[in-house]
Amino acid sequence: METITIDGVNLFLSHPDELKYDWVGQTELLDQVLAAWLVLDKEDLPLNPRLTGKPGVGKTTLAYAAAKRLGRPVYMFQATMDTRPEDLIITPVIGELGHIRYMASPLVTAMIRGGICILDEGNRMSEKSWASLAPLLDNRRYVESVVAAIKIQAHPDFRFCATMNDDASTFELPEYIHSRIQPQIFIDFPEPDEERVILRRNLPFSNEAILEYIVEFLKLAHAAGERYTVRDGINLGRYALKLLGEHKNPSHKEILKVLDLAVRMILGDDALDYLHGAAILL
Amino acid sequence: MKNSNSQLEALTLLPVLHGRLEFGAEVHRRLCSMNPDAIAVEFPGTIREPILRAAARLPLLSVIHYQEKNGAFVYLLAEPQDPLFEAVRFGIEHSLPIYCIDVDVEGYPRMREPMPDSYALARVGYDAYIERVLRGWPEAESSMTDARREAGMCFHLQHLAERHKRVACVFGLSHYAALLRGLDRAQARPLERIQTRQASLGALDPQSSREVLSEMPFLAGRYEEERQKGGLVTAGSPDRLRLYRELVDAASDAYFKNDKEEITAYQKRVLFQFARNYAWVQGRLVPDFYQLIIGARGAVNDNFAFELWEIGADYPYREESPSIPVIRVSGEDLFVDRKLVRFHRRIRAFRRRLLPVPGRRQDRGLNAKKWKDEWTGKHICSYPPEDIAVEGFGDYVKKRAVYVLSEEQKRVAPFCASLLDGIDVRETIRNWVSDGSIYVSEQLPMKGKIGSVVIIFDEDADAEQEAFPWKLTWLGEHDQESDMAFYATHVGEQLVGPGISKCVHGGFMLTYPPMRVYDIWQDPFFEWCRTKSERLLMAALDYSLERNVVYVAAAPPVSRLRTMAERLGRKIVYLPIGMFSPQTLKRMRTFHVLDGHHVRKYARSYIET
């Protein structure tokens, strides 16, 4: 494990994340994240975007894809209700011989290495934990570790991004934090053509008929204001293909049968209306 | 730019980018200073007559359209800031001969050469801009069709140079290099259609003007305003960035009017920084309309972005009943880039499309007047989904208050005899090196429960100019709903649907259980209160069945209310409003009042929750 010494305190650093995330379509969104991070002058400061949208629209994937574009190491931190301020910064653990070891969080590692930190599902984290990031997210760009009694300054290349679901199971963000994680980049449902490309990319072994059914299913669901996303579409496709097994050239009747079962098992009976609607349209 | 060829000294070539504001203004300035005796423009002579009529109609927008042999329709927009139409208009105003020198070709491919952002002209100057583009222009010959057009333009220009002393020639910058080469040698008359086309002229439909103009309609309108005032002769006018600031300020005012929220200087800074960066990432110097809208959404919210779009997409010059046919043109007809933006507003809106300038106007103005006339206000009621949301928010505020009170009751001390509620690990580690003591914490019980809740968004202290003059006490409709008293914007003032009035809370009070509250705005018991927020808090203290009353506002309550609370055996728990999410507060602030219970059946179609 890599270590670094700051103000006499030896910190153990985290590993960057290497994921097989691929962003397809909606290039404008990618540009928007990169725009938030762009600095044009030494005096200029990057913005800290928050990516919002329904679960499954690809917030984390977008953040990761944008971060990889910058060619810097990417560190992800999954926020939860139990995330405490010290978890975000430095955690003391008992090492060999009973000595305390200070473990730098992915966020602090990104700050030191000049990487990109993606704070995933940031609104699940309490206000107290967000408060510890307040100086990092304004022009001070540092964090203070109470546990290790040190102040850590962010590398000029450090960039930050938070993803947030718009579902109800989240904490409220106070105004002073809200104003520090700007701009808000809203990720909407992709257009049908883009959804088709995403599905094809994620289900390369699927036949076209199944993809068309799922695209039409999602289109009808979006129009009705349902929360089903392309992630649900991928899951439907995967399960339907597993149900078909070795059957390479299924008829439309067979496809509908497995998709019917997949919709029931994954999304529930309420979603069947959209599959039936798709069957009529196709 | 003066032609170097001595035989063609009469020609002043003015290459431009079509439709761009900076080039329109530059052409106007150059024509004013050079005082030409003829104008030549890159339009085919076969449609000269409708072009002149369209230019004469400016600032009213027109469309020239005709059909090609293969059945395809060709549309040409006449816009005030377009440099070619600026030149024609100048010619008409100064009674100069106007020559259309282009060759009429059919099936011309839609091509777009990459050019530097036109805003660079405002910074480096016209000559430097053109010189830099020319220096980087590829040596390759033009396509067959372009070569034919360019040879034709050279032929016409050479003839004009013999007949006039000062000819201003305005044409697309992509032809400049070829024209310079072509003018150096004698050109033969091109084979071209000379028969006049059956082209029609129509007035552009106001709906279409929001979607198809080359520049944001707001900019086109301001260009025209400057032109009429004679301001275009000043170098650098109109300045695009200054107009953007004016647009954002106008949108901020509209947002305040409709949503009663101010846009802070910080939000504007984020908006401009984000939009600027977005433009840079996409290879431009300054943002376009779409990027500004995305910036507005990112820095504030969809409602503000919508206001920006509404104002930015509005072209101010139009006539009530045009004397020529009205034509609706879409972005597809003109082969312009379009981008889609969905505004997720509180009021349900349909998808809107964006070019640099997009969209379809909601019939808000027209319908709102009709709805306002039909509003009776006799049997008003609330919109139930919003009741549930407000009730849920009230519960959440109570939980936050309990949390704050509990934190105040927590004690941490060095371990001596009892572990109390457990070891406080953080305090122990913090002091481990210095004193090696173990610290323990103790959670003392909270005294009393939470009763009423008061939320003050805006004190509205100015009695002379009340922003929230509508005061009401609303009783809960069932045993799960609190009684509510509030002050808000006038009901029936802003209609968003038939019998649906949008209002904005200045502040409200919730107290449970329901069916107990007498109209607090009439109750003489509260007469001594000086402001509406004081009256709400006093009512909350009076009607609360529990010891603690939560008061959420930007400033804590005045001391005499604290004294009054003590006398009533109550305690005010003050929570700064900044503790809560601005997005949630915004949702709570806006509400809808329905003109009778029957409106509840269809209100969902007009209100997004």
Side-chain angles (χ1 to χ4, degrees):
Chain A
M1 233 175 181
E2 272 190 275
T3 61
I4 189 167
T5 303
I6 297 176
D7 292 344
V9 176
N10 203 29
L11 290 182
F12 288 76
L13 303 181
S14 304
H15 292 290
D17 289 285
E18 285 297 335
L19 304 168
K20 286 185 178 173
Y21 283 175
D22 194 10
W23 182 252
V24 182
Q26 300 196 84
T27 50
E28 289 285 341
L29 290 172
L30 207 57
D31 284 347
Q32 285 169 27
V33 180
L34 294 173
W37 284 336
L38 180 70
V39 290
L40 300 177
D41 186 84
K42 277 182 190 171
E43 301 298 314
D44 198 9
L45 286 173
L47 295 166
N48 308 303
R50 65 175 190 281
L51 311 186
T52 63
K54 292 184 169 48
V57 291
K59 296 180 289 294
T60 314
T61 309
L62 171 64
Y64 187 79
K68 289 308 271 185
R69 280 281 184 99
L70 293 185
R72 310 288 309 165
V74 186
Y75 298 84
M76 295 179 76
F77 189 101
Q78 180 65 46
T80 68
M81 288 173 72
D82 302 323
T83 302
R84 297 177 59 82
E86 55 266 30
D87 300 336
L88 277 173
I89 300 171
I90 291 171
T91 322
V93 297
I94 306 296
E96 294 160 20
L97 307 171
H99 289 164
I100 288 178
R101 260 168 78 162
Y102 292 110
M103 306 297 295
S105 69
L107 172 83
V108 165
T109 308
M111 287 173 63
I112 293 167
R113 289 273 176 248
I116 288 125
C117 177
I118 300 168
L119 185 70
D120 207 13
E121 304 202 56
N123 53 338
R124 297 197 187 282
M125 198 167 80
S126 71
E127 179 193 339
K128 208 181 215 177
S129 302
W130 273 108
S132 64
L133 300 186
L136 174 67
L137 303 176
D138 60 26
N139 55 6
R140 290 172 286 176
R141 294 199 25 108
Y142 65 73
V143 290
E144 280 179 299
S145 167
V146 176
V147 173
I150 54 170
K151 186 184 280 187
I152 303 156
Q153 192 70 41
H155 189 282
D157 290 340
F158 168 70
R159 298 289 183 273
F160 177 85
C161 165
T163 72
M164 295 189 182
N165 283 336
D166 64 355
D167 60 11
S169 57
T170 53
F171 279 102
E172 290 283 307
L173 286 188
E175 204 281 330
Y176 73 97
I177 291 299
H178 203 268
S179 62
R180 283 171 165 85
I181 39 175
Q182 300 267 40
Q184 171 181 247
I185 296 172
F186 181 78
I187 303 165
D188 215 335
F189 293 124
E191 293 299 309
D193 287 346
E194 289 169 328
E195 279 184 336
R196 189 178 289 110
V197 176
I198 297 168
L199 288 167
R200 197 172 286 140
R201 185 72 65 92
N202 283 278
L203 304 166
F205 33 82
S206 169
N207 71 34
E208 284 297 308
I210 290 181
L211 295 185
E212 282 309 312
Y213 273 113
I214 298 172
V215 168
E216 209 57 45
F217 168 88
L218 289 173
K219 203 159 85 179
L220 293 173
H222 297 336
E226 295 282 4
R227 299 177 69 90
Y228 308 135
T229 61
V230 70
R231 185 198 283 170
D232 296 313
I234 293 167
N235 289 338
L236 287 181
R238 281 200 184 128
Y239 192 46
L241 289 168
K242 286 181 197 305
L243 289 170
L244 282 172
E246 298 295 310
H247 199 348
K248 293 290 178 201
N249 293 306
S251 65
H252 275 260
K253 199 175 168 187
E254 287 166 322
I255 289 173
L256 266 179
K257 194 177 163 194
V258 293
L259 277 174
D260 187 285
L261 186 58
V263 168
R264 280 176 204 275
M265 302 283 281
I266 293 170
L267 301 174
D269 290 354
D270 290 347
L272 278 176
D273 286 349
Y274 308 110
L275 182 64
H276 296 157
I280 291 167
L281 288 172
L282 293 171
Chain B
M1 305 193 102
K2 208 73 188 167
N3 186 38
S4 55
N5 187 329
S6 58
Q7 290 180 319
L8 301 171
E9 269 183 357
L11 297 179
T12 299
L13 302 183
L14 296 174
V16 295
L17 295 188
H18 295 290
R20 302 301 287 174
L21 178 87
E22 289 81 4
F23 281 91
E26 188 64 32
V27 164
H28 183 86
R29 268 192 293 278
R30 299 243 162 186
L31 293 180
C32 285
S33 63
M34 73 174 276
N35 194 21
D37 61 1
I39 302 281
V41 282
E42 183 202 343
F43 286 130
T46 52
I47 55 169
R48 182 174 179 276
E49 190 269 334
I51 289 213
L52 295 187
R53 280 173 58 207
R57 284 187 82 241
L58 285 168
L60 298 173
L61 301 171
S62 312
V63 186
I64 298 148
H65 62 106
Y66 58 88
Q67 201 169 9
E68 293 187 335
K69 275 184 195 159
N70 62 4
F73 277 95
V74 176
Y75 298 91
L76 185 64
L77 267 185
E79 312 169 62
Q81 85 293 347
D82 181 82
L84 266 65
F85 274 99
E86 174 59 59
V88 176
R89 201 176 173 192
F90 184 92
I92 294 170
E93 286 166 351
H94 293 80
S95 306
L96 302 175
I98 297 162
Y99 298 95
C100 294
I101 56 168
D102 201 359
V103 174
D104 188 333
V105 290
E106 292 218 341
Y108 187 67
R110 303 280 162 184
M111 294 184 298
R112 192 159 297 168
E113 285 91 1
M115 291 285 181
D117 194 323
S118 64
Y119 184 70
L121 185 152
R123 289 302 172 100
V124 301
Y126 178 76
D127 293 333
Y129 182 99
I130 300 296
E131 192 271 328
R132 187 68 190 81
V133 172
L134 196 62
R135 206 176 343 139
W137 200 256
E139 290 293 319
E141 290 290 320
S142 306
S143 67
M144 285 268 286
T145 316
D146 271 334
R148 198 170 138 227
R149 289 180 57 201
E150 285 151 2
M153 284 194 265
C154 288
F155 169 80
H156 290 298
L157 284 176
Q158 284 168 343
H159 276 258
L160 288 177
E162 291 167 6
R163 291 163 56 190
H164 293 280
K165 289 180 181 164
R166 293 182 307 280
V167 183
C169 177
V170 185
F171 55 91
L173 179 52
S174 58
H175 302 296
Y176 188 40
L179 287 197
L180 285 181
R181 285 196 300 269
L183 285 171
D184 273 343
R185 55 180 186 268
Q187 298 287 342
R189 174 179 281 278
L191 282 172
E192 62 175 325
R193 177 196 170 105
I194 50 171
Q195 190 186 355
T196 306
R197 283 207 182 261
Q198 292 296 309
S200 306
L201 182 72
L204 183 67
D205 177 66
Q207 298 268 43
S208 303
S209 71
R210 302 173 77 82
E211 189 177 344
V212 298
L213 296 200
S214 316
E215 287 279 12
M216 181 195 311
F218 176 85
L219 293 189
R222 286 306 174 92
Y223 176 92
E224 179 61 28
E225 205 177 287
E226 283 288 307
R227 191 180 194 279
Q228 289 180 7
K229 285 192 296 189
L232 289 187
V233 289
T234 313
S237 175
D239 180 58
R240 185 182 289 270
L241 291 183
R242 181 177 58 80
L243 295 181
Y244 282 177
R245 281 192 292 275
E246 282 179 25
L247 172 63
V248 169
D249 288 343
S252 305
D253 293 343
Y255 181 64
F256 182 75
K257 191 178 162 206
N258 292 327
D259 292 70
K260 293 285 175 286
E261 279 179 36
E262 290 205 40
I263 305 296
T264 63
Y266 177 77
Q267 285 173 311
K268 284 185 188 173
R269 193 172 67 78
V270 171
L271 188 165
F272 284 116
Q273 184 181 350
F274 182 41
R276 176 205 66 186
N277 289 3
Y278 194 5
W280 274 63
V281 166
Q282 298 197 326
R284 296 170 57 92
L285 286 178
V286 289
D288 59 21
F289 193 19
Y290 176 76
Q291 289 158 344
L292 266 187
I293 290 172
I294 296 298
R297 169 193 268 180
V300 189
N301 57 28
D302 279 63
N303 277 21
F304 178 65
F306 184 81
E307 298 295 354
L308 190 94
W309 179 79
E310 278 275 286
I311 297 170
D314 186 47
Y315 183 72
Y317 301 92
R318 60 174 79 97
E319 54 187 346
E320 285 301 316
S321 39
S323 53
I324 53 174
V326 175
I327 293 179
R328 183 171 282 195
V329 189
S330 70
E332 289 99 332
D333 296 327
L334 294 173
F335 299 93
V336 283
D337 287 339
R338 292 172 303 132
K339 286 166 187 165
L340 201 69
V341 169
R342 292 191 190 95
F343 291 105
H344 295 263
R345 304 170 63 224
R346 288 273 297 159
I347 303 164
R348 180 163 289 184
F350 298 99
R351 282 180 174 207
R352 277 150 209 289
R353 57 180 48 153
L354 278 185
L355 328 175
V357 186
R360 209 142 276 170
R361 188 188 180 88
Q362 200 183 23
D363 288 342
R364 194 161 79 166
L366 197 68
N367 287 332
K369 191 177 176 309
K370 184 170 158 257
W371 296 332
K372 202 167 179 174
D373 293 342
E374 290 169 357
W375 176 265
T376 67
K378 285 180 185 165
H379 305 287
I380 56 169
C381 64
S382 59
Y383 179 51
E386 287 174 348
D387 294 342
I388 295 168
V390 167
E391 208 64 43
F393 182 63
D395 289 343
Y396 173 70
V397 171
K398 286 181 189 174
K399 277 185 199 158
R400 289 296 298 260
V402 169
Y403 178 74
V404 169
L405 288 174
S406 310
E407 284 290 294
E408 285 174 5
Q409 301 292 93
K410 189 179 177 186
R411 302 276 180 272
V412 178
F415 168 72
C416 49
S418 164
L419 275 175
L420 299 176
D421 289 331
I423 296 171
D424 190 298
V425 177
R426 174 192 270 214
E427 203 61 26
T428 303
I429 290 178
R430 186 185 287 166
N431 294 291
W432 188 255
V433 180
S434 57
D435 63 7
S437 304
I438 291 173
Y439 281 73
V440 291
S441 66
E442 182 182 20
Q443 189 72 52
L444 299 172
M446 196 189 106
K447 289 177 189 166
K449 294 179 182 171
I450 307 288
S452 309
V453 172
V454 180
I455 319 277
I456 304 296
F457 300 103
D458 189 325
E459 288 278 346
D460 200 22
D462 187 354
E464 298 289 312
Q465 282 190 320
E466 281 187 292
F468 304 95
W470 188 44
K471 293 171 280 195
L472 198 73
T473 303
W474 228 326
L475 299 179
E477 289 185 44
H478 50 79
D479 63 357
Q480 297 295 307
E481 197 171 87
S482 306
D483 286 343
M484 184 184 194
F486 61 83
Y487 58 97
T489 51
H490 261 310
V491 69
E493 201 171 72
Q494 198 184 350
L495 277 297
V496 296
I500 305 168
S501 173
K502 181 186 166 191
C503 297
V504 180
H505 280 303
F508 64 77
M509 180 275 288
L510 296 170
T511 186
Y512 187 83
M515 302 302 287
R516 296 179 301 127
V517 179
Y518 174 68
D519 186 356
I520 70 156
W521 305 106
Q522 303 293 330
D523 194 338
F525 184 66
F526 307 125
E527 275 308 310
W528 60 275
C529 296
R530 290 176 193 166
T531 61
K532 286 176 276 200
S533 60
E534 285 184 17
R535 191 179 273 257
L536 282 183
L537 179 54
M538 196 52 223
L541 292 168
D542 190 36
Y543 283 103
S544 177
L545 298 183
E546 304 293 345
R547 176 180 155 77
N548 296 303
V549 169
V550 188
Y551 182 71
V552 179
V558 291
S559 61
R560 65 175 185 284
L561 278 166
R562 289 195 183 276
T563 311
M564 184 58 87
E566 278 172 31
R567 283 187 196 158
L568 292 169
R570 301 279 177 266
K571 184 186 175 194
I572 301 171
V573 182
Y574 167 64
L575 302 180
I577 200 160
M579 280 177 67
F580 297 91
S581 151
Q583 284 172 330
T584 307
L585 291 176
K586 173 151 183 56
R587 279 202 298 274
M588 293 304 119
R589 265 197 101 165
T590 311
F591 68 108
H592 296 83
V593 181
L594 312 182
D595 199 8
H597 277 79
H598 66 282
V599 182
R600 285 182 174 174
K601 287 181 189 165
Y602 62 81
R604 190 185 168 276
S605 313
Y606 294 87
I607 304 169
E608 194 165 278
T609 50

